[in-house]
Amino acid sequence: NDASNLVMLQKRVSKEDAEAIAYLGDSYYHGGLGLAKDVHRAIELWTEAAELGSIDAHYQLSVVYYSGMGTEEDKPRAIHHWQQAAMKGHVESRHNLGAVEHDDNGHYQLAVQHWMISAKMGFEK
């Protein structure tokens, strides 16, 4: 049940488990585990998790900052988080960097390089 899952998760969070912190951020963002939806708290948690090395937290931060979903749009910050995740092997982040280079910056060669890397890593979108 949500209450016992939340208790177990909070134990891991208290031990600075980056993935648990990122998951708690996801729960706040979507209003899961019986928590009230709180985008600001989600961003705080994802930021903490990213600082502790969570690739998924970097990705989530990039998505909300790029789109402005629930927070002020900040494309440079979004790109930074995609770069951090991509350097640690996050395939979709690498693909999204290619899209930014293609669509926003007109750097077609660089876009293709990002897309080739993501394809070699198994991205099929």
Side-chain angles (χ1 to χ4, degrees), residues 71-105:
T71 190
E72 188 172 330
E73 184 180 289
D74 187 340
K75 289 190 178 187
R77 184 179 280 183
I79 291 166
H80 165 78
H81 286 290
W82 271 326
Q83 289 169 335
Q84 294 301 307
M87 287 188 290
K88 293 177 180 174
H90 193 270
V91 178
E92 194 164 351
S93 292
R94 178 67 69 180
H95 174 82
N96 291 348
L97 287 171
V100 167
E101 291 300 341
H102 182 275
D103 298 343
D104 296 355
N105 300 334

Side-chain angles (χ1 to χ4, degrees), residues 31-94:
L33 294 178
L35 297 168
K37 186 173 179 177
D38 185 343
V39 175
H40 180 73
R41 182 69 178 130
I43 290 170
E44 287 176 348
L45 289 163
W46 287 332
T47 300
E48 180 182 351
E51 289 168 358
L52 291 170
S54 170
I55 297 169
D56 291 331
H58 278 295
Y59 178 76
Q60 293 300 338
L61 287 166
S62 66
V63 170
V64 295
Y65 284 128
Y66 195 81
S67 65
M69 292 187 325
T71 190
E72 188 172 330
E73 184 180 289
D74 187 340
K75 289 190 178 187
R77 184 179 280 183
I79 291 166
H80 165 78
H81 286 290
W82 271 326
Q83 289 169 335
Q84 294 301 307
M87 287 188 290
K88 293 177 180 174
H90 193 270
V91 178
E92 194 164 351
S93 292
R94 178 67 69 180

